[in-house]
Amino acid sequence: MVLKNFDEIIEMVKAKPTKKVVVAGAEDEHALEAVFEAQKEGIVNPVLVGNRSMILSNIKKLGYENEAFEIIDNPEGENPGQTAVDVINAGGGDFLLKGGIQTKDYLGPVINKNNNLNMGGVLSAYTFTQIPNYNRMIMLADGSLIIKPTLEQKKGIIRNCVNVLKKLGYERPKVAVICAVETVNPKMQDTVDAAALVEMWKNGELIDCEVVGPISFDLAMDKESAQIKGYNCPYCGEFDVLVAPDLVSANFLGKSWIYTAGSNKAGGAVVGAKVPVAMMSRSAAMEIKFNCLVMCAATC
């Protein structure tokens, strides 16, 4: 299977039982718009954690007062991220969505092993993007969580991305480990890591996927460029996952697709915990938050 757009994922999710999303800091208007639009599609039912009066005021302002929802009034001075995690642990939700709170307040309770969501593996973030005029959707990691991943963390990032795509119906996702060049250079650690990841794949440490690297972005995305450079790989122009060397490059690339390539069809999550954790910038458009809900509902 190869997914080409979010409409395909939405139809996939609508055929499944409705999931319950717990929104941490649900006073945020874009988050409210996203969850209620997703509810109209039969994708989620919302549990809204935050200041009850502010949430109700914004729901009325947005015209959703007649929709079904549950509000959990967050105690003053308490972290709504922790309250949301407590709801998940009590069986009150299937996954989390970040509303109008700081990332540290949202992710801190998820990472804290005392809260039983962190299973001790690698937690990483991905974005799944629909790029105009490209032949498939592309998964990019990690643009928001691991600043400078080690070799073992890159291995975990690949496993997490493959697990998500397997849940979406992919049999053997094709993974490109992106570097600036296509050859191993001892002075460029990213190329050394890429070669090591390919060896791990060959040795069976990374399964249910194809791993290629080091490979530059242009060759990964364009078959003709690979042919011109003599890069012998059957997957150029057909990769499903791009693993960036660090957070800055992944963040920069993902945002360039959105803000300069017209790719507002993007969504993702933090994965590797017991439940998907939808996280995006507080400035993200409602549509991107909606797509994050779709991705989490499809994979939890």
Side-chain angles (χ1 to χ4, degrees):
M1 170 183 280
V2 173
L3 292 167
K4 296 182 179 180
N5 54 63
F6 266 101
D7 289 340
E8 294 176 336
I9 307 175
I10 291 170
E11 291 306 310
M12 185 187 305
V13 176
K14 288 167 71 172
K16 297 183 175 184
T18 303
K19 303 296 183 179
K20 189 174 285 189
V21 56
V22 183
V23 186
E27 301 88 351
D28 180 76
E29 291 185 16
H30 282 168
L32 288 171
E33 287 180 298
V35 294
F36 283 116
E37 289 304 309
Q39 185 178 48
K40 288 181 181 179
E41 295 286 344
I43 295 171
V44 301
N45 289 322
V47 179
L48 309 173
V49 176
N51 182 289
R52 177 182 293 273
S53 61
M54 289 182 64
I55 293 171
L56 287 172
S57 175
N58 285 337
I59 286 175
K60 185 176 182 179
K61 175 183 175 182
L62 295 168
Y64 295 117
E65 62 268 27
N66 294 324
E67 303 296 330
F69 55 85
E70 177 184 354
I71 294 180
I72 295 178
D73 195 18
N74 192 68
E76 186 174 354
E78 296 293 325
N79 178 9
Q82 180 63 55
T83 304
V85 167
D86 291 342
V87 173
I88 292 286
N89 280 330
D94 297 299
F95 65 92
L96 292 162
L97 174 71
K98 179 175 177 286
I101 65 173
Q102 296 286 342
T103 298
K104 64 180 179 62
D105 294 329
Y106 180 62
L107 280 184
V110 175
I111 295 171
N112 187 338
K113 293 182 179 179
N114 293 329
N115 285 324
N116 299 316
L117 292 189
N118 184 348
M119 298 184 293
V122 174
L123 270 65
S124 63
Y126 75 86
T127 304
F128 206 29
T129 303
Q130 178 183 331
I131 303 172
N133 301 318
Y134 200 64
N135 64 65
R136 66 192 58 218
M137 296 186 71
I138 295 287
M139 183 169 285
L140 176 64
D142 172 341
S144 57
L145 191 59
I146 305 177
I147 298 172
K148 186 68 177 176
T150 64
L151 176 60
E152 281 300 308
Q153 287 174 321
K154 289 176 182 178
K155 180 181 176 183
I157 288 170
I158 292 174
R159 282 178 170 167
N160 286 343
C161 289
V162 169
N163 286 339
V164 170
L165 289 178
K166 292 280 287 183
K167 291 177 180 178
L168 293 174
Y170 285 66
E171 293 184 8
R172 290 185 67 84
K174 297 178 284 292
V175 180
V177 185
I178 301 298
C179 299
V181 297
E182 302 83 50
T183 56
V184 177
N185 183 338
K187 294 182 179 181
M188 302 174 74
Q189 186 61 43
D190 296 325
T191 66
V192 176
D193 287 353
L197 290 165
V198 171
E199 285 303 310
M200 290 178 182
W201 167 69
K202 290 179 179 178
N203 294 334
E205 296 178 56
L206 290 165
I207 62 172
D208 296 331
C209 61
E210 306 288 335
V211 180
V212 175
I215 181 170
S216 59
F217 176 75
D218 55 336
L219 305 194
M221 298 292 286
D222 184 61
K223 188 182 295 291
E224 184 177 355
S225 295
Q227 291 172 344
I228 291 171
K229 283 193 173 183
Y231 191 85
N232 186 23
C233 171
Y235 310 125
C236 293
E238 298 180 358
F239 282 102
D240 303 303
V241 181
L242 305 184
V243 177
D246 55 34
L247 183 147
V248 172
S249 55
N251 188 282
F252 185 93
L253 177 58
K255 288 180 178 177
S256 72
W257 286 342
I258 293 170
Y259 291 102
T260 63
S263 180
N264 62 345
K265 302 283 188 178
V270 172
V271 286
K274 286 185 179 180
V275 300
V277 180
M279 185 179 78
M280 72 300 294
S281 170
R282 282 177 291 167
S283 66
M286 184 281 288
E287 186 172 14
I288 290 178
K289 294 186 179 184
F290 174 88
N291 292 336
C292 290
L293 290 169
V294 170
M295 290 303 302
C296 289
T299 57
C300 68

